[in-house]
Amino acid sequence: MKARRALLYVPGSDLHKIEKAVRLDVDGIILDLEDGVSANRKDEARQIIAGALTTLDFGRSERIVRINPFYTGRAEADLAAVLPAGPETIIVPKVDSPSILHRVDEILDQAESTARRAKNSIEVIALIESAKAFVELKEICQASIRLKGLILGAEDLTADAGMTRTPVGTELLYARSMLALYAAAYDLQAIDMVQTNFNDVERLTAEARQAAELGYAGKQVIHPAQIAPVQKVFTPDEAAIERAKRIIAGAEEAAAGGRGAFSLDGEMVDLPVIKRAQSILTRARAAGILD
Ligand code: COA
Ligand code: MG
């Protein structure tokens, strides 16, 4: 599992920002061809992204490209331009049916075979951002073995579904919970919505914490100032890791003694508690703070 605590959008047309992004120690960098790029610079952005992927050292940051939606007629040429430069992951926007991911699979299969890359090594993350996408979510989750994550596209969803976008986001609660639940059911990572106000760290942190509580693995970010606070929220803290280790050790001891449930610090520990502890350790390992 890759750590995807914070995924930073960078407009693919902006080489200065891309050069900055690779030095920010962020889990993932999303080189954007879609909404972050003006219509008259989209062709140029393809070349800038391909160049950046070939020449820049991204360090530990995942190299991700967000292409344009297929209905625009641009997606195929986006992929043709960037795939030879070797991105690790493709974000597909406006995924509202499994057929879109089937089409992506065909193109990625071809690219891998041409580049002699391992089959299915290029990963895919789907942006879920329309009412129809939520109705089709089960089929979308099962559409491709490349699919590793679902992103909540809150701005597009509220526009599509006729919701009023409020600062608190109560209108999004159902969709936001549903996405996390489906992601868990199909072993995918759920990635939370963007907080567009990049000066309000308090609001960002509260929103990220709520997402983590709902089961999200990370959050989309748009500004360098958002990276550290968001990555912190999605990293298990030392106390949680220590407790998880004790739960696992206790569970092994209990199992050896033929017991299922046991007590730790005056609280009952049984299978769901053990599972949560395992997931904390998995996330800590992915974040590189536990071997
Ligand atoms: N990636 C890398 N660097 C970024 C960045 C990003 N997403 N956002 C800002 N920076 C850099 C700026 O270039 C600036 O560096 P500089 O002083 O060397 O030029 C520094 O961080 C501070 O930026 P700031 O002046 O506070 O913001 P800005 O006005 O330059 O940019 C945005 C504000 C919103 C335009 C910018 O953050 C951005 O483009 N975000 C991504 C938008 C996007 O992709 N949206 C689509 C997906 S929702
Ligand atoms: Mg969008």
Side-chain angles (χ1 to χ4, degrees), residues 9 32 34-36 66 69 93-94 127 129 153-157 220:
Y9 281 102
D32 190 23
E34 200 211 8
D35 293 349
R66 177 167 78 168
K94 313 283 170 358
L127 255 162
E129 48 188 345
E155 305 307 323
D156 283 280
L157 173 64
Q220 307 165 88

Side-chain angles (χ1 to χ4, degrees), residues 1 217 233-236 278-289:
M1 187 183 76
V233 168
F234 289 100
T235 308
Q278 282 163 341
S279 124
I280 286 169
L281 296 183
T282 304
R283 284 193 291 126
R285 246 175 245 117
I289 55 173

Side-chain angles (χ1 to χ4, degrees), residues 169-280:
T170 315
E171 71 282 2
L172 283 163
L173 258 185
Y174 173 60
R176 204 168 168 221
S177 304
M178 179 175 170
L179 187 142
L181 213 53
Y182 274 72
Y186 292 96
D187 204 18
L188 306 170
Q189 285 173 315
I191 312 292
D192 193 36
M193 58 199 181
V194 170
Q195 172 53 253
T196 52
N197 183 341
F198 55 80
N199 289 315
D200 192 342
V201 174
E202 207 171 310
R203 187 197 292 184
L204 175 75
T205 304
E207 200 176 89
R209 201 166 283 142
Q210 192 178 43
E213 287 164 4
L214 287 172
Y216 278 77
K219 189 172 178 67
Q220 307 165 88
V221 299
I222 50 151
H223 190 277
Q226 295 184 316
I227 296 169
V230 166
Q231 290 191 162
K232 183 162 191 286
V233 168
F234 289 100
T235 308
D237 63 30
E238 224 165 278
I241 294 172
E242 275 321 302
R243 185 168 163 77
K245 282 183 182 165
R246 290 178 59 215
I247 289 171
I248 301 299
E252 280 162 8
E253 202 182 302
R259 282 165 294 133
F262 63 99
S263 75
L264 185 74
D265 305 337
E267 279 180 55
M268 182 198 70
V269 174
D270 63 355
L271 199 55
V273 180
I274 297 166
K275 278 190 174 164
R276 279 203 299 273
Q278 282 163 341
S279 124
I280 286 169

Side-chain angles (χ1 to χ4, degrees), residues 102-122:
H102 297 155
R103 178 80 192 102
V104 172
D105 258 349
E106 285 170 17
I107 297 171
L108 297 187
D109 282 348
Q110 188 63 51
E112 283 166 352
S113 120
T114 306
R116 298 211 173 78
R117 286 179 68 171
K119 190 164 163 55
N120 297 323
S121 56
I122 307 172

